[in-house]
């Protein structure tokens, strides 16, 4: 309905939102004069006209028969866009400024802002529904954060060239935005609120996550939502002894700390971060630096809010009536004291639920709560309708004949409460009694003292086919952790804004099924909570893992929560650490995790006012307390931490006390983990794959791969391994199920990538083919050389087929490498009855590599052992000859006199190659099997 205030319209009209969403008031006149207009929308025709002074504009609907012949004429009754009124603000952060702009984008949103750091731009909007949702104990806030690939000049991969579902790291940033903002929302405000954040530009140097937190806090402060204070977020890094606010990505590579902090000008609301066994004092100093930076941002934002912020919707806050608290406490107070003493979670939860139903039933019977399920009479329904109608009440004596006399309906004297209000109040009263029991009696729901840890029990190797497994139980919280080892194909691929192919060699996946809390619920994709808890446990364990060079496995840890009553993410840390040890991962040390709680204002609950810190909190203490502070690490330092504050007022001294108490708790938990029965195996499972890493010359990688990958496929088929992974820097990883196939592939690759030198001697080499001018001998798998017919025997040989055949094994010496890399070999140079000229070609130094002198003046043949000290056969006869041939191969020992006159200097030495470096002596299939077996 439109209400007109002036007869002559001179300016644009603006609409003010009233209590009812469909009612608007015109506060300024329209642009057009008082003229009738006809508006045709299809078959509907609206006649608009004005009739005199102070008249309202009316619309009459008429059907139009010949609508196609009429001209569609539009009326602009909206508000024309005025010129952009951009408000800019530069805020100093760290060693630079961030730029905050509003009023130029997203003007129809309740609040919108862009925040720029360098060339990184984050755009954030805040919108809310006009009508409130049903009251609940959970504020209806949703956050969506998206990194547009166009921000870095890219497009998304795959068939659909647009951004798909939210990625895991985007979910984590959504949680970083949500967690500090939710505590600032006032109780009783139920309008559904949505925060949307996009990365529009990314320069690769300035991270957008801290900017997204700040942008969301500023957008909320500019909107109508009645938040308490502006919220901002910063990242703090530590390089050496210097703390850096909002460090660049290059600086973070050398940082010992990654701390994300959010809060207001007077309180810390959220911290989350990871460190390399960071001492508690350094963490507190980083928090102090971050708090100063957040305070400076919030002070600047307050000036911007005063200048262009919207009026707050204070009237939309609907709290339960204060008298309802008194009624609930009178009915359930004594019973609550008894119920909260029940130690186990499920019986206590059922008792509380039964007590809540009893309170609701008593209030309904006494007329304090409207019974929605009870049938209502027709008279009551009519009375309610008449109450809702805005009709004028006619006084007696003024009734005209034929009019209906509407009598006023008296209001019910008894106050009425909704069922939702009763449940909300019952929950708050329960929380109050729980806090009072902890502070006043010094005992928690399960009977523990504030610093006491729940009983701990753990066992490893409970799953026989898993590579590593552990079941960690702490009170009523239990986590089943399973570690799996694999090759690079098992690595998790991450598609981010800059790196097209980024892989994680370690990842932890956390699962929270509804059965762990005794409920039936939906099973599907992981929730945001599961992704967040999994990342916290993953970053906690990541610090203790060995490097890729020391342990070249991809590691996956699955943590399935089988029971939950608080701190399941920290149970995943403890269980994951035991599972890694059980899988044989050489971790640096053991770590544990613990969750700390807080009751801040203890004077209200019978204490002396000193904050009470709780160790190893349960689910009810998390819900009713003022803090949830998770800390993971060992006795020396912290690897990960996460803190959510539900009230304003936590100080650094309180945080220091919580950190020191958490350190004592971790020491106790680590001691209990050492008592695990059965203990971790600390060795590779027989079902785990074998991985061998070797380095070759980078220019030899193509020899391993071959044309179109044919060679690498041949190696896999020939040796029976699982896969071969090569890198451009010369790193080769071999993945196998057994040691025999692994050693066989090692020998093949070593032979392919060897660098032959003139003078090298190769024993027991197979003849692959015979040609009229000689034979081709395989000195290593895939490497052949030509032994000319003149080099096959010390005497004259007409045809090679007369003495040799394909498959024979001979000893050869490398004599020449031509420009094309082709090898020339000689068998005659190694024969004992070679003439003096040929013998002189093998100098003294060369002979010393092959032989060692004995006391009798004879030389004994010696073959170098491979690195793993495998005994190979010495001096075996390698050629199959006829009985008439006089040029037989030497036996194990042979006589040969060496006089000083025969010694000549040489530039090259004869070398016998090891199987693990430049060359591998070819062996028969039988010898090869024995070689692999001995190495195994």
């Amino acid at each position: 309905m439109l209400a007109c205030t002036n007869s002559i319209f001179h300016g644009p009209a603006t609409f003010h939102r009233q209590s009812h969403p469909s009612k608007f008031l015109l506060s300024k006149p329209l642009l057009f004069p008082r003229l009738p207009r006809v508006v045709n929308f299809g078959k509907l025709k609206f006649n608009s006209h004005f009739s005199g002074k102070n008249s309202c504009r009316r619309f009459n609907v008429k059907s139009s028969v010949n609508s196609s012949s009429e001209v569609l004429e539009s009326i602009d009754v909206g508000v024309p866009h005025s010129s952009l009124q951009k408000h800019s603000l530069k805020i100093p952060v760290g060693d630079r400024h961030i730029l905050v702009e509003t009023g130029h984008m997203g003007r129809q949103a309740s609040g919108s802002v862009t925040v720029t750091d360098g060339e990184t731009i984050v755009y954030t909007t805040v919108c809310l529904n006009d009508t409130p949702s049903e009251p609940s104990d959970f504020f209806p806030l949703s956050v969506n954060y998206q990194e547009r690939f166009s921000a870095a000049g890219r497009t998304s991969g795959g068939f659909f060239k647009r951004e798909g579902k939210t990625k895991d790291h985007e979910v984590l940033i959504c949680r970083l935005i949500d967690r500090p903002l939710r505590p600032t929302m006032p109780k009783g405000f139920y309008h559904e609120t949505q925060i949307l954040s996009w990365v529009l530009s990314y320069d690769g140097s300035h991270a957008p996550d801290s900017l997204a937190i700040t942008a969301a806090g500023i957008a909320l402060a500019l909107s109508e939502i009645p938040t308490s204070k502006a919220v901002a977020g910063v990242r703090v890094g530590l390089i050496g002894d210097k703390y850096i606010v909002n460090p660049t990505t290059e600086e973070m590579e050398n940082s010992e700390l990654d701390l994300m902090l959010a809060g207001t000008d007077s309180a810390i609301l959220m911290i989350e971060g990871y460190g390399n066994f960071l001492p508690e004092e350094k963490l507190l100093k980083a928090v102090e630096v971050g708090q100063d930076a957040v305070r400076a941002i919030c002070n600047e934002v307050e000036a911007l809010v005063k200048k262009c912020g919207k009026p707050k919707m204070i009237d939309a806050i609907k709290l339960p009536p204060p008298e309802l608290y008194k009624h609930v406490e009178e009915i359930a107070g004594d019973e609550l004291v008894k119920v909260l003493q029940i130690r186990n979670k499920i019986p206590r939860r059922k008792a509380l639920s039964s007590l809540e139903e009893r309170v609701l039933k008593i209030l309904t019977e006494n007329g304090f709560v409207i019974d929605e399920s009870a049938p209502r009479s027709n008279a009551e329904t009519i009375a309610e309708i008449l109450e809702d109608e805005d009709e004028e009440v006619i006084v007696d004596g003024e009734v005209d004949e034929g009019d209906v006399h509407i009598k006023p309906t008296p209001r019910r004297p008894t106050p009425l409460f909704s069922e939702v209000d009763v449940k909300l109040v019952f929950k708050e009263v329960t929380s109050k009694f729980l806090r009072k029991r902890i502070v006043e009696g010094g005992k928690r729901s399960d009977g523990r003292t504030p610093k006491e840890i729940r009983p701990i029990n753990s066992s490893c190797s409970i799953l026989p086919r898993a590579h590593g497994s552990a079941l960690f139980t702490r009170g009523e919280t239990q986590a089943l952790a399973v570690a799996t080892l694999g090759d690079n194909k098992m690595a998790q691929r991450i598609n981010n804004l800059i790196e097209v192919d980024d892989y994680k060699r370690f990842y932890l996946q956390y699962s929270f099924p509804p059965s762990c809390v005794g409920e039936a619920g939906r099973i599907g994709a992981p929730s945001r909570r599961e992704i967040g808890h999994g990342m916290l446990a993953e970053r906690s364990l990541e610090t203790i893992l060995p490097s890729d060079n020391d342990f070249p496995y991809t590691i996956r840890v699955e943590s399935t929560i089988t029971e939950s009553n608080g701190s399941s993410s920290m149970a995943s840390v403890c269980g994951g650490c035991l599972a890694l040890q059980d899988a044989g991962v050489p971790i640096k040390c053991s770590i544990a995790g613990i969750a700390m709680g807080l009751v801040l204002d203890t004077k209200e609950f019978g204490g002396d006012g000193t904050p009470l810190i709780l160790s190893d909190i349960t689910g009810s203490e998390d819900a009713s307390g003022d803090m949830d502070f998770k800390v993971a690490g060992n006795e020396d330092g912290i690897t990960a931490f996460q803190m959510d504050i539900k009230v304003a007022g936590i100080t650094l001294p309180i945080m220091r006390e919580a950190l020191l108490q958490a350190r004592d708790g971790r020491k106790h938990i680590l001691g209990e983990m050492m008592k695990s029965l059965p203990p971790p195996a600390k060795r590779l499972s027989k079902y785990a794959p074998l991985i061998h890493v070797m380095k070759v010359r980078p220019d030899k990688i193509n020899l391993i791969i071959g044309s179109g990958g044919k060679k690498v496929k041949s190696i896999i088929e020939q040796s029976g391994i699982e896969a071969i992974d090569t890198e451009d820097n010369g790193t080769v990883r071999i993945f196998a199920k057994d040691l025999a196939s692994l050693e066989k592939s090692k020998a093949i690759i070593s032979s392919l990538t060897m660098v032959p030198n003139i003078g090298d001697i190769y024993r027991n080499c197979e003849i692959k083919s015979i040609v009229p001018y000689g034979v081709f001998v395989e000195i290593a798998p895939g490497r052949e050389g030509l032994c000319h017919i003149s080099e096959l025997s010390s005497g004259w040989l007409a045809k090679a087929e007369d003495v040799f055949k394909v498959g024979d094994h001979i000893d050869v010496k490398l004599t020449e490498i031509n420009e094309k890399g082709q090898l020339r070999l000689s068998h005659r140079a190694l024969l004992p009855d070679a003439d003096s000229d040929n013998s002189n070609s093998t100098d003294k130094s060369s002979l010393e590599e092959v032989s060692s002198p004995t006391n009798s003046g004879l030389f004994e043949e010696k073959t170098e052992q491979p690195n793993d000290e495998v005994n190979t056969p010495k001096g075996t006869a390698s050629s199959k000859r006829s009985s008439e041939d006089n040029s037989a191969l030497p036996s194990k020992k042979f006589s040969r006199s060496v006089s000083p006159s025969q010694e000549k200097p040489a530039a090259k030495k004869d070398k016998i190659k090891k199987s693990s470096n430049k060359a591998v002596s070819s062996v028969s299939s039988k010898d090869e099997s024995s070689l692999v077996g001995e190495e195994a």
Side-chain angles (χ1 to χ4, degrees), residues 455 508 655 662 681 754:
L508 188 146
M655 192 180 299
M754 70 174 184

Side-chain angles (χ1 to χ4, degrees), residues 861-910:
E861 181 183 1
K862 183 182 77 172
T863 303
E864 292 188 15
Q865 304 297 322
N867 287 340
D868 43 8
E869 298 180 0
V870 178
N871 296 323
T872 57
K874 298 181 181 180
T876 57
S878 57
S879 303
K880 295 181 180 180
R881 309 290 181 91
S882 61
S883 59
E884 295 82 9
D885 187 16
N886 295 327
S887 56
L889 286 176
S891 60
K892 185 174 181 180
K893 292 185 180 181
F894 58 92
S895 300
R896 184 173 183 182
S897 60
V898 180
S899 61
S901 61
Q902 292 176 325
E903 296 181 3
K904 296 182 181 180
K908 298 289 182 179
K909 293 184 179 181
D910 295 341

Side-chain angles (χ1 to χ4, degrees), residues 694-706 726-732 749 752-755:
M694 55 191 305
K695 297 285 290 186
V696 301
R697 284 175 49 174
D699 57 343
K700 300 292 183 179
I701 289 294
N702 291 333
L703 297 177
I704 302 175
I705 300 174
T726 60
E727 298 179 9
D728 294 338
N729 61 358
T731 302
V732 180
I749 294 175
L752 285 175
T753 58
M754 70 174 184
V755 180

Side-chain angles (χ1 to χ4, degrees), residues 175-232:
R175 287 173 51 85
L176 290 176
I177 297 172
D178 182 288
R179 285 161 43 206
L181 295 180
R182 192 173 292 276
T184 64
M185 299 297 178
K187 292 183 179 180
F189 186 77
Y190 301 116
H191 290 259
E192 184 176 351
T193 304
Q194 185 181 50
I195 299 176
L196 302 178
S197 185
W198 297 273
V199 179
L200 301 183
S201 177
Y202 181 53
D203 58 8
S205 182
H206 303 89
D209 45 7
S210 60
L211 298 181
I213 300 174
T214 302
I218 297 174
L220 272 177
L222 294 172
S223 68
E224 301 102 331
I225 301 173
T227 53
S228 55
K229 289 185 177 180
V231 176

Side-chain angles (χ1 to χ4, degrees), residues 585-597:
V585 180
I587 60 176
K588 299 176 183 177
C589 62
S590 297
I591 65 170
I594 188 171
M596 311 297 294

Side-chain angles (χ1 to χ4, degrees), residues 10 17 48 54 243 273 286 412 588 604 691 694 865 915:
H10 299 286
R17 181 175 295 168
S48 62
N54 296 330
Y243 295 91
R412 298 181 184 180
K588 299 176 183 177
E604 180 183 353
I691 300 180
M694 55 191 305
Q865 304 297 322
S915 62

Side-chain angles (χ1 to χ4, degrees), residues 397-565:
E398 298 180 0
V399 181
D400 295 335
E401 188 175 351
D403 288 343
V404 178
H405 187 184
I406 303 175
K407 296 181 180 180
T409 303
R411 299 288 182 181
R412 298 181 184 180
T414 305
L416 298 178
F417 311 122
S418 67
E419 183 178 338
V420 175
D421 285 341
V422 175
K423 292 183 177 181
L424 291 175
V425 171
F426 181 81
K427 183 177 181 180
E428 291 187 28
V429 171
T430 303
S431 176
K432 176 182 176 181
F433 274 70
L434 178 63
R435 293 156 70 95
K436 186 176 181 179
R437 167 180 166 80
I438 297 174
V439 175
E440 219 174 35
K443 293 290 184 180
R444 296 147 79 172
S445 295
D446 51 6
R448 289 182 294 147
T449 61
K451 295 185 179 181
E452 190 175 352
I453 310 297
R454 289 175 289 177
I456 295 174
N457 181 30
S458 59
S459 55
C460 298
S461 302
I462 61 174
L463 303 178
R465 292 303 293 254
H467 298 164
S469 59
L471 184 66
F472 179 83
T473 307
R474 178 167 55 198
E476 292 181 299
T477 299
Q478 187 181 73
L480 174 63
V482 180
T484 306
L485 307 179
D487 55 15
N488 288 350
K489 294 180 180 179
M490 203 180 81
Q492 186 179 24
R493 179 179 177 180
I494 299 177
N495 197 7
N496 51 34
L497 287 177
I498 296 300
E499 298 292 338
V500 178
D501 293 324
D502 189 13
Y503 293 90
K504 289 173 62 175
R505 61 179 291 262
F506 170 67
Y507 49 95
L508 188 146
Q509 294 172 335
Y510 169 98
S511 177
F512 192 89
S515 61
C516 69
V517 290
E519 297 176 355
R522 182 188 66 87
I523 293 293
S527 64
R528 293 188 172 189
R529 179 183 178 275
E530 289 176 308
I531 294 174
H533 280 42
M535 179 55 66
L536 178 62
E538 176 184 312
R539 296 292 298 270
S540 301
L541 295 170
E542 191 175 20
T543 309
I544 65 174
L545 295 178
S547 65
D548 190 19
N549 294 330
D550 296 334
F551 194 74
Y553 284 90
T554 296
I555 307 170
R556 179 196 182 200
V557 174
E558 300 168 83
S559 177
T560 303
I561 306 303
T562 53
E563 295 181 29
S564 177
N565 187 14

Side-chain angles (χ1 to χ4, degrees), residues 59 127 227 346 415 421 432 476 491 634 673 714 760 777 849 915:
F59 296 90
C127 290
T227 53
I346 299 298
D421 285 341
K432 176 182 176 181
E476 292 181 299
N634 62 358
M673 290 169 59
S714 173
D760 291 345
V777 182
E849 291 289 333
S915 62

